[in-house]
Amino acid sequence: MLNLSTKDYIYEKLLPKVEKPGRYIGTEWNSVHKDLNDINIRFAFCFPDSYEVGMSHLGMKILYHLLNDQKDIYCERVFAPWPDMEKLMREEDIKLFALESRDYIKDFDFVGFTLQYEMSYTNIINMLDLADIPKLSSQRGEKDPFVVAGGPCAYNPEPLAEIIDFFMLGEGEEQMLEVMDVYRQWKAAGLKREEFLNMVSEIPGVYVPAFYDVSYNPDNTIEAIKPNRDGVPAKIKKRVVKDLNKAYFPDRIIVPYIDIVHDRIMLEIFRGCTRGCRFCQAGMIYRPVRERTLEELESIAETLVESSGYEEISLSSLSTGDYSRLHQLVEKLMSKYGKDRIGLSLPSLRIDSISLKLLQDVQKVRKSGLTFAPEAGTQRLRDVINKNVTEEDLINSVGAAFDSGYSGVKLYFMIGLPTETMEDVEGIADLGYKVLDRYYQVPKAQRGRGVNVTISTSCFVPKPFTPFQWEPQDTIESMREKQKHLQQMLRRKGLTYNWHDPELSYLEAVFARGDRRLSKVLIRAWELGCKFDSWDQYFNYEAWLKAFEDCGVDPDFYTIRKRDFEEVLPWNRIDVGITKKYLRSEYKKALKGETTRDCRTVCTGCGINLLQEGGVCK
């Protein structure tokens, strides 16, 4: 542990020298501080990105308080130190520490990472190095903490297989406490490190990579992934919380001293999605849909408003407009909190779920930004990806916004989608013009001032457990060409065009569908200086290319190569409840331009009801 003088040194000498000391204070409102004499298990909850990004993550808020509500567990937060802080830490030989106690995390029982984005993986390597924890799981000894990981990227755990001791797949509220129970038993018995891994591998949803061997074909595809010992599961099934109303949700959240990305109450109204967009991994892996009741949401909102002092509530879900009682919820919350100037924001609205009444209710306190995601510029391509929205839906929705006084909207699209042509790309610009024209149809005295239609395009990344998991990614050159074409088309006043870096999306695709041979690439890239890769000012594509070259790995193998249906994919041992038969059927329908109905209207047979006995779809 750090001695007292070293803790004071961090606070008094290091923090005044960094850009944002508030990232490292650890004494924010509602942060948890415990007497170490009462603690049996110490858990470092690590977010491999900046404080501002990590503190906006709802999963961290839930699991942090879930663990700390256990009397003998102390969960503390750890974020990737910003480069200015890291430089000072390395100069002063300060190891990576937890915010609340400022103790070194190498002395904790668990170091847990949440995997929200593939391009944060080098930060994991950097944080382990800063903590003086061996980067490879095979090199960790009896005194080292267990390095664990969960989150959406854990559904393809293989690129981190040589780094993470075990993965926790699925929703963690129940699973996390089961892991802690096993650890208590193991610790009390004084057993060896490997014996704990054996014990924890019996918990549903836990994957220990070292317990599985991977063999390869001469063409570098995977021949087989097989258990190398008895007793480990052939398939690792994700964990699902069946009843969201009974799931743990904190009655308080930490209020930072500095601005963060989402600085508000996040009220999770439901989990899952029934729309079936074929590009969307979240829509597949978070099934089934489970809603919280209106009464439960009112109760949570009241508790969090009182304990946090926040003046904004964000209704959180994959598709907020699909909550079955959205209008009643908005009316109740605005009626209760509007007089106190506590506003609502509605992210993730679909363009076919907005109404003038809803917009008028939401903006009674203040206007929040409006974002819509048509995803594709033509109806043909929207049918390919099963978006199930039309141009008329979009114009009606933005029209309702403009009619109620909004003057700015954001439209999100993707380029590089399967079967895309340049006509589809040009359709993005055409939609932008039509949205702008709809603004000018509002009488001048009625419309908001300063119109701005922001069009953003990301580069399509094929993801595991989607119908497009077998598809090649578009080439960097092709995506650049499409971006340049849109730049030339979107030059009208009132239109703004933003785009993503194709090189970054290329690397995202490598690690989204990669295998465990990429662990050595990650470490080599870190050795070459790669970290904070999702931040433009630190992204170094040339260093990444050198890392692949040094390791003898061809990144194109993971990106622009089409997979056969029978190929053994790196994530074949993982069961998210969506069957291969369903994904293959959806892929074939995509190529024909055939759509699939929202499964709230009719079951489409994805397989999620078979994941647990009795079924959990609602």
Side-chain angles (χ1 to χ4, degrees):
M1 300 296 174
L2 287 171
N3 59 47
L4 183 62
S5 62
T6 308
K7 292 181 182 182
D8 289 343
Y9 185 83
I10 292 172
Y11 194 86
E12 296 175 9
K13 301 297 183 181
L14 262 63
L15 296 193
K17 297 179 181 179
V18 299
E19 177 187 358
K20 294 184 179 180
R23 290 169 167 156
Y24 314 101
I25 297 294
T27 56
E28 308 96 317
W29 182 256
N30 289 330
S31 60
V32 177
H33 299 266
K34 293 189 174 185
D35 184 345
L36 294 180
N37 293 319
D38 302 326
I39 300 304
N40 183 36
I41 302 173
R42 301 195 70 179
F43 194 105
F45 197 123
C46 300
F47 198 99
D49 209 320
S50 71
Y51 176 94
E52 294 92 322
V53 175
M55 281 301 296
S56 302
H57 180 237
L58 179 59
M60 171 172 268
K61 301 174 193 291
I62 293 173
L63 294 178
Y64 174 84
H65 288 290
L66 171 75
L67 289 172
N68 280 319
D69 281 355
Q70 313 303 306
K71 290 185 178 180
D72 67 336
I73 300 176
Y74 192 9
C75 178
E76 301 182 56
R77 295 163 296 143
V78 186
F79 302 95
W82 200 246
D84 60 346
M85 181 63 164
E86 180 190 342
K87 181 174 182 292
L88 290 172
M89 290 171 65
R90 292 192 184 276
E91 289 174 352
E92 302 290 339
D93 194 27
I94 300 294
K95 304 291 185 271
L96 188 61
F97 56 91
L99 294 193
E100 282 78 1
S101 67
R102 299 196 195 101
D103 287 336
Y104 287 161
I105 67 170
K106 72 182 182 68
D107 298 313
F108 282 42
D109 300 281
F110 291 94
V111 171
F113 289 94
T114 178
L115 309 179
Q116 299 296 314
Y117 180 42
E118 291 86 355
M119 297 315 296
S120 69
Y121 288 177
T122 51
N123 277 4
I124 295 175
I125 309 298
N126 195 49
M127 292 170 76
L128 290 174
D129 183 73
L130 274 170
D132 197 26
I133 297 171
K135 290 177 274 297
L136 294 175
S137 59
S138 60
Q139 296 175 350
R140 293 182 197 125
E142 297 298 327
K143 294 184 178 181
D144 289 312
F146 289 99
V147 179
V148 306
C153 294
Y155 286 108
N156 178 20
E158 291 305 290
L160 291 167
E162 295 183 4
I163 296 160
I164 303 297
D165 291 320
F166 67 92
F167 293 85
M168 301 169 64
L169 302 175
E171 296 166 345
E173 291 95 332
E174 298 166 350
Q175 183 188 36
M176 179 68 81
L177 296 183
E178 293 171 12
V179 170
M180 296 299 107
D181 284 340
V182 169
Y183 186 78
R184 288 187 186 98
Q185 299 167 24
W186 171 83
K187 187 175 182 180
L191 301 175
K192 295 291 186 181
R193 183 181 185 88
E194 186 170 342
E195 291 174 287
F196 173 72
L197 295 176
N198 276 318
M199 293 167 67
V200 82
S201 70
E202 297 177 4
I203 296 176
V206 170
Y207 172 59
V208 182
F211 292 172
Y212 299 82
D213 291 333
V214 181
S215 57
Y216 299 93
N217 296 308
D219 64 356
N220 280 327
T221 59
I222 295 173
E223 178 186 35
I225 306 172
K226 295 181 179 180
N228 55 31
R229 64 191 64 203
D230 296 332
V232 298
K235 281 274 189 179
I236 298 88
K237 294 184 178 182
K238 76 172 184 182
R239 294 296 293 271
V240 174
V241 174
K242 285 190 176 183
D243 188 346
L244 207 55
N245 291 296
K246 296 179 181 178
Y248 177 87
F249 202 87
D251 57 8
R252 61 204 180 282
I253 53 175
I254 297 174
V255 182
Y257 292 137
I258 63 174
D259 289 337
I260 60 176
V261 176
H262 300 300
D263 205 6
R264 59 185 75 99
I265 291 170
M266 297 179 71
L267 186 61
E268 186 187 33
I269 58 178
F270 72 92
R271 290 182 188 172
C273 183
T274 58
R275 295 287 186 161
C277 296
R278 292 169 180 143
F279 60 85
C280 181
Q281 185 187 49
M284 297 294 172
I285 63 176
Y286 289 133
R287 293 186 181 199
V289 164
R290 291 139 294 151
E291 292 191 351
R292 281 194 165 94
T293 64
L294 205 59
E295 295 72 24
E296 177 72 6
L297 291 170
E298 288 183 85
S299 175
I300 293 172
E302 181 177 8
T303 302
L304 292 181
V305 167
E306 290 178 357
S307 66
S308 71
Y310 271 122
E311 296 181 343
E312 183 176 350
I313 302 171
S314 174
L315 303 185
S316 174
S317 71
L318 289 177
S319 182
T320 299
D322 286 338
Y323 180 62
S324 61
R325 302 184 68 185
L326 180 62
H327 285 267
Q328 296 101 306
L329 178 62
V330 169
E331 287 176 0
K332 284 181 175 293
L333 293 178
M334 293 307 302
S335 173
K336 186 168 186 176
Y337 299 114
K339 62 182 180 298
D340 297 322
R341 305 300 296 168
I342 296 173
L344 280 184
S345 62
L346 305 178
S348 307
L349 283 174
R350 283 176 58 92
I351 61 178
D352 58 349
S353 63
I354 199 83
S355 70
L356 184 58
K357 171 98 170 43
L358 186 65
L359 289 171
Q360 290 172 338
D361 284 343
V362 169
Q363 66 175 337
K364 284 178 180 177
V365 173
R366 66 180 68 88
K367 288 182 183 177
S368 56
L370 284 179
T371 300
F372 302 101
E375 308 293 1
T378 63
Q379 193 60 48
R380 184 201 70 81
L381 194 52
R382 286 192 291 274
D383 289 344
V384 168
I385 64 176
N386 203 49
K387 188 65 182 176
N388 280 323
V389 295
T390 65
E391 180 180 304
E392 182 181 6
D393 292 327
L394 174 62
I395 300 304
N396 288 341
S397 292
V398 298
F402 292 147
D403 289 342
S404 61
Y406 283 85
S407 60
V409 295
K410 296 178 181 179
L411 305 178
Y412 282 121
F413 297 89
M414 281 185 284
I415 59 172
L417 287 162
T419 79
E420 182 183 65
T421 66
M422 196 57 79
E423 182 180 345
D424 298 311
V425 175
E426 292 170 350
I428 295 173
D430 292 339
L431 272 183
Y433 295 141
K434 290 175 181 177
V435 167
L436 190 60
D437 290 341
R438 177 61 180 84
Y439 165 82
Y440 285 109
Q441 291 173 16
V442 180
K444 192 170 184 179
Q446 180 183 337
R447 65 190 181 218
R449 295 182 178 180
V451 62
N452 185 31
V453 177
T454 300
I455 292 175
S456 297
T457 59
S458 62
C459 302
F460 168 66
V461 176
K463 295 276 185 165
F465 301 109
T466 69
F468 293 146
Q469 66 179 358
W470 296 283
E471 272 290 290
Q473 188 184 37
D474 207 355
T475 65
I476 291 174
E477 294 74 21
S478 175
M479 288 188 279
R480 284 281 187 218
E481 180 185 355
K482 293 168 183 176
Q483 288 173 338
K484 288 179 181 178
H485 192 51
L486 281 172
Q487 288 176 49
Q488 294 171 352
M489 294 187 70
L490 293 169
R491 290 182 172 176
R492 184 173 164 185
K493 184 180 179 182
L495 289 176
T496 302
Y497 177 47
N498 299 323
W499 59 92
H500 286 200
D501 189 335
E503 284 84 2
L504 194 64
S505 298
Y506 174 79
L507 290 176
E508 182 184 343
V510 170
F511 290 100
R513 295 191 295 177
D515 53 47
R516 61 178 61 184
R517 291 173 291 193
L518 291 175
S519 290
K520 62 183 180 182
V521 177
L522 282 169
I523 293 174
R524 180 59 183 145
W526 168 78
E527 290 172 346
L528 293 170
C530 295
K531 58 190 172 186
F532 283 105
D533 295 294
S534 59
W535 296 77
D536 290 344
Q537 64 267 44
Y538 297 111
F539 179 54
N540 186 342
Y541 184 59
E542 296 305 317
W544 273 104
L545 293 182
K546 179 166 175 45
F548 285 112
E549 181 182 357
D550 290 351
C551 295
V553 173
D554 179 10
D556 284 351
F557 177 79
Y558 302 103
T559 55
I560 61 176
R561 180 178 64 86
K562 185 179 179 66
R563 278 85 169 145
D564 183 85
F565 283 140
E566 302 311 312
E567 180 175 332
V568 177
L569 301 173
W571 50 93
N572 269 22
R573 287 281 166 187
I574 310 300
D575 182 3
V576 301
I578 310 299
T579 66
K580 180 180 177 181
K581 178 182 178 182
Y582 174 79
L583 294 177
R584 186 162 53 186
S585 171
E586 284 295 295
Y587 175 72
K588 291 178 178 178
K589 289 176 72 173
L591 297 185
K592 296 176 183 176
E594 297 176 3
T595 60
T596 298
R597 292 170 64 184
D598 184 331
C599 63
R600 284 192 192 231
T601 62
V602 60
C603 179
T604 57
C606 72
I608 195 64
N609 276 321
L610 303 176
L611 185 68
Q612 295 187 8
E613 292 182 9
V616 283
C617 261
K618 291 184 179 180

